[in-house]
Amino acid sequence: MPTRNESESQPQSSSRALPVLQNVPRRAVVKGAFATLGAAAFVAAVSPLRQVASNSSPAEFMQQHYKELSPEDKADVIARLEQEAKEKYGAEVTIGDDRPIPGTKFVYAINLSVCNGNGKCVEACHKENNHDRATNQSYIRVIEMPKGTMDMEQGSTTYSGVVPKKDKFYLPVQCQQCDNPPCVNVCPVQATWKEEDGIVVVDYNWCIGCRYCEAACPYHARRFNWKQPEVPADEVNPDQSYLSNRIRPVGVVEKCTYCLHRTRRGRLPACLEACPTGARVFGNILDENSNIRWILENKRVYILKEELGTKPAFFYYFD
Amino acid sequence: MRFTSFVLIGIACIVGAVLFRDQTQATSTLEPHTERELAESISSDYQGPAVGANPAREPPVHAVIVHKPAGPPTVRLASVDPQQRLAEVACSTCHSVRPPNLENRLSTALDEFHQGLEFSHGELACYACHNPSNADTLRLADGSAVEYAEVLTLCTQCHSKQAESFAHGAHGGMNGFWDLSRGPQSKNNCIDCHDPHAPTYPQMTVTFKPKDRFNSAEDSHAHQK
Amino acid sequence: MSSSAHSSSTSPTRSSALLSYPGFLAKALWLATEGSLLFYAWMTLLTALMLVGANAWANQAAGGMINTNMTDHVSWGLYIANFTFCVGLAAGGVMMVIPAYLYDDEEMHQVVIIGEAVAIAAIVMCTLSVVVDLGRPDRFWHLIPGIGKFNWPMSMLTWDVIVLNGYLVINLHIVGYLLYMRYLGRKPNPVWYLPFVFLSIFWAISIHTVTAFLYCGLGGRPFWNTALLAPRFLASAFVSGPAFILLVMRVLRITTGYTAPPGPARTLIQIIRIAMVVNLVMLASEIFTLFYTGGAHASSAQYLFFGAHGRYGLVPWIWTAIGLNLAGTFLFFLPAAMERSTTRIVACLFCIVGIWIEKGMGLIIPGFIPSTLHEVVEYSPSLVEWKVTVGIWALGLIVLTLILKLITEVLAGRVTTSPTAEG
């Protein structure tokens, strides 16, 4: 009488047996089943990643570094970005590729005797650079300082109400476009670099979002997109540039670009035009007749955190 | 075996250091000691094409436009004429038929017109700036008349420091272009920001603040001094 | 174990060694899923935790890092804190390699492979901790030299990528080679592993030095910008690594019955004693330098130890860490610690937790508080961050368990190519 074991262990005739199931121990089947279950559980666990994939596109994934793009590549990229802006934000935008004007190096100065901390520059930056509306994001932070000290430990950014307050002066801080920028040194993928006119720029489509530059910056100049920026279609500033104020994707770092979409076309930055007290001065330091040159030659100018050796292109002075 | 391994590793380190030392050294330049040196040192750090070498760099063709008041102010009357028109009165309408009080410094003395005028501009008398012989003009310190549109020259008599800063774009702000070869620049007149009778720049209210997570004003009121 | 791997059967030819590698892997995979009920329970728990972590990370990747509690003020948090600690764990394995290979400690030779296994698992945790912290992990390829843009040698992160991956490869090679040779029943050829072992000594020190350089090179963060940071990292790594290895060895003894000779553990404890004292001395030096001089340089330390501007979030953490470190040091110096005892285990746990806090929450977070503009914005990790970190630890422990299982099975001779050996 054939035993159960015998019939199991002896192979059936080859025409009827499934080869893969010959002599497979039960243990293996059980292990296989659990492995499949585990794999399925893993796929289910990471299923939100599908949304990440749908947010991106193969063209965006494969896009090379800005400096490696040919003019045709750039045109394709910009066309794609304009299309995405239309889809995501409902706004018709024009993204330029503004290159530095030869013979320029931009320098900024603020007159601390005149700044009264009203924050219109902060708001203008917010609007000009298509920042997230919910957080009132801006590249500029204004510190209310007690008169007689430059120690920011005694300052505060959460002031409000009527300004200027008695015995206080106001210190707006934004990216200093340093000549020795620590942020450029630390980026592992060279997503940020200093251009010939002094502006330190970020390729938002190359940045991997490690935030090392944000840790390295001594001036709190960098911002990270913790979420997708939300800007209503009618508030989108449509005059955009690839390296500056196009609406940035989630997960990348950004910073003040001295409004290069304006300044590289000869215009003044948005913060300067918005300043009601006229505390801000901007220009090309290489032009002997420029306003900024006169300030550096005639006013007693200071820079922040000079001891760090960052060599900012941003100066502060008192009348 | 052990010794050889160490020696090989050590040689590798030295070779690597020699190869890459240039890329890790920070630039060292002498620090500037005067403002002029500072401006020049920043310019010399510039790595781009030479200034003036680019033929596209044109001489400025656009102007710096300074706003000017259209003319002397007028007094708007509270009542209307029988045709329901608002009436405006020129300064000389009244002031050509009244004797000027040259010593008056107080706005409280004005009890017929110009009531509620706030005046706090130092120890100036009204007629230090206003022209008693032609109420539709102002006058400089030497007595010569100056049009209202040229009120700048009046301010610069005393505030030459601010005037110099203004001329160099360091006072008063501007709109438009920094690069005058591409577009004009417009600047405010003194009186656009400073009311000549009470020139102290008015206080403002902060309307726009960042809304950071974990950094609201309530969070930090404990540390306000 | 490398010197005691004698072949008991005829040696196969070189060509069949390559052919039998898939067989080795297949048997290894099989072994990975064989064990007692406790083993299955342990692995199931870890898998469940790992899946929770994976899901949390997927949600973070989909919804953006707004799901974490990091902000532009405190832009690195739990993930980088955990990364820093895990690099220390990985470097700690070197404290077994040095006695075994530089001082020819015969008994240590038998257990050094455990240290290398811990190093592998720790490096896996490090890499994962960084990947989950990236805003755009899909752009990982931008780091690959040649295809992407690799900012070496200027960016310390690129150095970290090189040394961490290199250390992983070195340890995988050493462990893999030794196990595979044992599996084949052959004596390992020193040429194939000894140079890597010596390289791993320097490399282990370099991984933690480079990680310290990540932080201490930043002039804008005075709390980190101290020459003492790299030595402190190394000192605390040489405590947490060996302490973790001691715990692993205890677990191995309890679960598999594998009992190591008492000598290696005593050596490790002596190393821990010295390293812990050095760590505490350096901490005292930091505290003195910061608080005696005072000024803005001390504002982060002020916040950390005593609170600042009405904010006290990290004060309980750091004092707990200091208490645990001191208590652990004291326990390690007791004679009971040199014997197999509860004192030893408790001391290990105290030191590991104390150093995790001190290096993680007590170092990374205060570097950002006050911010560079002297704003005090606090940080405590969100649920998503905790889930992902627990998931990373679960995955690391899975890797560690599997490698240890393989080690114990292969080195006990229960897994070989020899057909006669299979039971």
Side-chain angles (χ1 to χ4, degrees):
Chain A
M1 198 154 40
T3 62
R4 198 159 51 89
N5 279 346
E6 213 177 87
S7 62
E8 268 182 325
S9 58
Q10 281 173 9
Q12 307 283 336
S13 59
S14 55
S15 60
R16 288 206 286 176
L18 295 169
V20 71
L21 288 178
Q22 280 180 352
N23 288 333
V24 177
R26 184 176 57 197
R27 203 171 191 80
V29 173
V30 171
K31 286 196 183 183
F34 273 109
T36 314
L37 191 67
F42 181 74
V43 169
V46 298
S47 58
L49 289 179
R50 269 181 304 179
Q51 190 193 328
V52 176
S54 70
N55 280 345
S56 185
S57 66
E60 186 188 330
F61 179 75
M62 295 305 300
Q63 184 186 327
Q64 270 295 338
H65 190 278
Y66 176 79
K67 286 189 188 171
E68 310 291 331
L69 295 175
S70 68
E72 298 81 33
D73 291 334
K74 276 191 198 176
D76 288 338
V77 165
I78 284 176
R80 190 191 81 228
L81 291 172
E82 288 175 350
Q83 178 64 21
E84 279 173 13
K86 183 125 175 61
E87 283 161 9
K88 284 187 187 160
Y89 292 97
E92 296 276 357
V93 303
T94 315
I95 300 178
D97 176 34
D98 295 280
R99 299 311 302 142
I101 303 172
T104 53
K105 182 172 171 15
F106 291 129
V107 172
Y108 215 132
I110 293 189
N111 184 347
L112 295 179
S113 302
V114 166
C115 174
N116 66 356
N118 60 77
K120 293 276 185 275
C121 54
V122 181
E123 188 175 7
C125 175
H126 169 84
K127 291 186 174 147
E128 180 72 23
N129 288 297
N130 292 314
H131 277 294
D132 176 55
R133 290 317 190 234
T135 50
N136 275 5
Q137 182 68 287
S138 173
Y139 295 133
I140 305 173
R141 286 185 90 78
V142 186
I143 312 177
E144 180 185 72
M145 302 277 289
K147 278 189 181 165
T149 175
M150 286 298 267
D151 181 10
M152 289 189 222
E153 187 68 19
Q154 301 176 47
S156 160
T157 56
T158 53
Y159 70 94
S160 60
V162 174
V163 287
K165 302 206 200 301
K166 197 165 174 314
D167 294 329
K168 303 278 190 206
F169 73 94
Y170 295 86
L171 189 65
V173 183
Q174 63 204 74
C175 174
Q176 316 269 295
Q177 318 290 357
C178 306
D179 280 347
N180 183 16
C183 55
V184 168
N185 289 342
V186 299
C187 177
V189 289
Q190 294 180 14
T192 182
W193 66 94
K194 190 174 173 74
E195 304 222 294
E196 298 92 44
D197 58 356
I199 302 180
V200 177
V201 297
V202 180
D203 181 356
Y204 309 118
N205 286 53
W206 192 255
C207 173
I208 61 173
C210 71
R211 306 186 301 290
Y212 196 5
C213 58
E214 202 172 2
C217 175
Y219 303 104
H220 195 89
R222 291 194 164 240
R223 307 280 180 269
F224 182 72
N225 285 286
W226 304 97
K227 64 177 174 75
Q228 184 78 35
E230 288 155 16
V231 188
D234 53 345
E235 292 181 32
V236 170
N237 175 4
D239 296 316
Q240 300 177 355
S241 189
Y242 181 84
L243 290 172
S244 68
N245 69 334
R246 61 179 169 108
I247 305 184
R248 277 73 63 194
V250 66
V252 300
V253 167
E254 56 181 47
K255 57 183 279 299
C256 164
T257 54
Y258 277 1
C259 280
L260 61 84
H261 55 282
R262 301 179 70 139
T263 53
R264 287 182 178 175
R265 302 178 196 174
R267 307 190 79 101
L268 293 163
C271 45
L272 189 150
E273 291 205 334
C275 174
T277 62
R280 291 172 167 265
V281 185
F282 177 86
N284 174 14
I285 193 72
L286 300 176
D287 176 5
E288 309 85 39
N289 304 317
S290 65
N291 298 330
I292 191 69
R293 185 88 179 224
W294 184 84
I295 287 183
L296 261 60
E297 290 179 350
N298 292 283
K299 298 284 186 188
R300 208 175 299 168
V301 293
Y302 305 93
I303 55 180
L304 293 180
K305 307 201 185 192
E306 183 164 4
E307 66 279 2
L308 297 181
T310 51
K311 298 199 199 167
F314 204 103
F315 294 84
Y316 297 90
Y317 65 100
F318 294 90
D319 262 335
Chain B
M1 188 68 204
R2 192 183 301 169
F3 177 72
T4 317
S5 306
F6 285 144
V7 169
L8 284 171
I9 291 166
I11 291 173
C13 288
I14 293 169
V15 168
V18 168
L19 282 176
F20 292 108
R21 72 179 187 286
D22 283 334
Q23 287 169 289
T24 53
Q25 267 178 7
T27 55
S28 58
T29 54
L30 289 174
E31 295 306 315
H33 292 283
T34 66
E35 279 105 10
R36 201 162 291 269
E37 277 180 21
L38 173 65
E40 278 164 16
S41 85
I42 296 168
S43 313
S44 67
D45 280 342
Y46 168 67
Q47 302 283 345
V51 177
N54 191 325
R57 187 183 168 78
E58 295 145 18
V61 295
H62 295 273
V64 176
I65 304 159
V66 179
H67 297 157
K68 289 182 179 179
T74 55
V75 175
R76 178 159 296 168
L77 297 178
S79 55
V80 294
D81 71 2
Q83 282 78 35
Q84 304 301 312
R85 287 176 300 196
L86 291 168
E88 289 178 21
V89 181
C91 310
S92 50
T93 306
C94 301
H95 286 285
S96 54
V97 296
R98 304 169 76 109
N101 180 355
L102 291 171
E103 276 117 35
N104 186 36
R105 297 167 195 272
L106 303 171
S107 59
T108 47
L110 306 171
D111 51 9
E112 286 182 83
F113 284 96
H114 308 303
Q115 283 154 356
L117 177 76
E118 189 199 334
F119 183 77
S120 63
H121 195 157
E123 298 293 323
L124 293 175
C126 310
Y127 283 105
C129 298
H130 287 285
N131 194 345
S133 47
N134 179 356
D136 291 323
T137 58
L138 300 162
R139 67 166 172 172
L140 300 174
D142 62 359
S144 55
V146 62
E147 293 300 317
Y148 266 89
E150 307 306 321
V151 64
L152 263 181
T153 52
L154 200 56
C155 310
T156 58
Q157 286 182 117
C158 299
H159 302 290
S160 57
K161 196 152 172 291
Q162 285 84 338
E164 191 196 14
S165 292
F166 177 83
H168 287 99
H171 187 111
M174 59 187 70
N175 285 87
F177 289 74
W178 64 266
D179 186 353
L180 294 172
S181 66
R182 294 173 194 234
Q185 196 179 89
S186 67
K187 297 210 268 200
N188 290 316
N189 196 293
C190 309
I191 61 169
D192 288 331
C193 297
H194 300 285
D195 174 359
H197 298 119
T200 308
Y201 195 88
Q203 289 198 302
M204 297 175 66
T205 309
V206 179
T207 52
F208 187 88
K209 296 290 294 183
K211 293 182 200 153
D212 306 316
R213 286 170 87 194
F214 317 122
N215 191 28
S216 65
E218 292 78 43
D219 285 340
S220 60
H221 75 273
H223 91 279
Q224 293 286 354
K225 289 188 177 132
Chain C
M1 296 210 171
S2 51
S3 57
S4 59
H6 300 296
S7 65
S8 55
S9 55
T10 54
S11 306
T13 59
R14 180 164 282 274
S15 58
S16 66
L18 285 172
L19 284 174
S20 58
Y21 196 71
F24 169 66
L25 288 177
K27 284 196 179 141
L29 191 62
W30 184 262
L31 267 180
T33 48
E34 283 287 306
S36 66
L37 194 61
L38 181 65
F39 174 77
Y40 284 128
W42 169 246
M43 293 301 270
T44 309
L45 171 69
L46 290 180
T47 308
L49 290 174
M50 192 263 287
L51 288 175
V52 165
N55 177 250
W57 176 68
N59 282 323
Q60 178 194 287
M65 296 190 74
I66 194 81
N67 288 304
T68 68
N69 279 354
M70 293 186 272
T71 57
D72 284 324
H73 293 91
V74 184
S75 51
W76 277 343
L78 183 63
Y79 298 146
I80 299 295
N82 194 44
F83 160 77
T84 313
F85 177 75
C86 289
V87 178
L89 265 189
V94 78
M95 279 299 143
M96 294 183 98
V97 176
I98 290 179
Y101 286 92
L102 288 185
Y103 291 93
D104 286 326
D105 183 339
E106 189 59 42
E107 286 185 334
M108 185 64 88
H109 253 284
Q110 299 176 32
V111 291
V112 71
I113 200 165
I114 298 176
E116 282 153 0
V118 167
I120 293 172
I123 294 285
V124 168
M125 287 200 280
C126 289
T127 313
L128 283 177
S129 293
V130 170
V131 169
V132 300
D133 190 59
L134 291 179
R136 296 302 294 246
D138 55 312
R139 294 184 185 170
F140 205 84
W141 67 270
H142 293 182
L143 273 168
I144 302 173
I147 327 179
K149 268 194 184 292
F150 198 59
N151 191 15
W152 187 83
M154 208 55 208
S155 167
M156 294 311 296
L157 250 181
T158 55
W159 283 87
D160 225 4
V161 167
I162 293 174
V163 296
L164 286 178
N165 285 307
Y167 194 60
L168 179 65
V169 165
I170 290 171
N171 278 300
L172 279 174
H173 168 74
I174 295 172
V175 173
Y177 178 75
L178 291 174
L179 289 180
Y180 188 46
M181 285 298 117
R182 183 79 161 121
Y183 165 81
L184 292 177
R186 281 159 50 170
K187 191 166 166 39
N189 184 350
V191 166
W192 282 108
Y193 72 92
L194 267 188
F196 296 97
V197 169
F198 290 118
L199 188 61
S200 81
I201 296 176
F202 291 103
W203 210 279
I205 309 221
S206 79
I207 60 173
H208 220 14
T209 310
V210 165
T211 307
F213 284 176
L214 270 183
Y215 309 121
C216 69
L218 301 181
R221 305 270 172 202
F223 187 65
W224 294 342
N225 189 221
T226 160
L228 210 50
L229 201 73
R232 271 185 75 193
F233 269 31
L234 289 169
S236 57
F238 297 151
V239 173
S240 59
F244 193 80
I245 291 168
L246 283 170
L247 288 178
V248 166
M249 284 164 60
R250 174 64 66 97
V251 167
L252 272 180
R253 181 156 70 85
I254 293 172
T255 56
T256 68
Y258 170 73
T259 305
R266 291 207 183 108
T267 309
L268 284 180
I269 289 176
Q270 278 165 343
I271 292 171
I272 291 175
R273 284 176 173 178
I274 297 170
M276 200 60 195
V277 169
V278 169
N279 192 29
L280 290 171
V281 165
M282 289 185 185
L283 177 67
S285 172
E286 285 271 24
I287 291 177
F288 172 81
T289 312
L290 288 168
F291 285 110
Y292 187 83
T293 316
H297 217 264
S299 47
S300 288
Q302 173 74 24
Y303 167 76
L304 175 63
F305 285 96
F306 303 110
H309 297 292
R311 309 280 226 266
Y312 303 96
L314 286 180
V315 174
W317 286 89
I318 190 62
W319 288 108
T320 309
I322 289 183
L324 287 174
N325 282 340
L326 287 171
T329 311
F330 173 72
L331 288 175
F332 269 121
F333 270 99
L334 292 177
M338 287 303 243
E339 308 305 321
R340 292 198 184 111
S341 60
T342 319
T343 312
R344 183 190 279 188
I345 300 304
V346 170
C348 287
L349 284 169
F350 276 10
C351 285
I352 289 173
V353 173
I355 287 173
W356 189 92
I357 299 174
E358 181 204 320
K359 245 182 182 162
M361 303 295 279
L363 179 84
I364 304 302
I365 313 304
F368 292 97
I369 305 176
S371 76
T372 46
L373 297 185
H374 293 254
E375 298 175 88
V376 176
V377 175
E378 297 202 282
Y379 164 83
S380 68
S382 70
L383 187 61
V384 165
E385 290 174 272
W386 282 117
K387 281 186 190 171
V388 172
T389 305
V390 165
I392 289 173
W393 270 92
L395 184 59
L397 288 172
I398 289 176
V399 168
L400 181 62
T401 311
L402 293 181
I403 297 179
L404 286 175
K405 192 131 198 11
L406 191 59
I407 287 173
T408 48
E409 298 292 328
V410 170
L411 294 180
R414 286 197 285 274
V415 183
T416 69
T417 57
S418 167
T420 60
E422 204 55 4

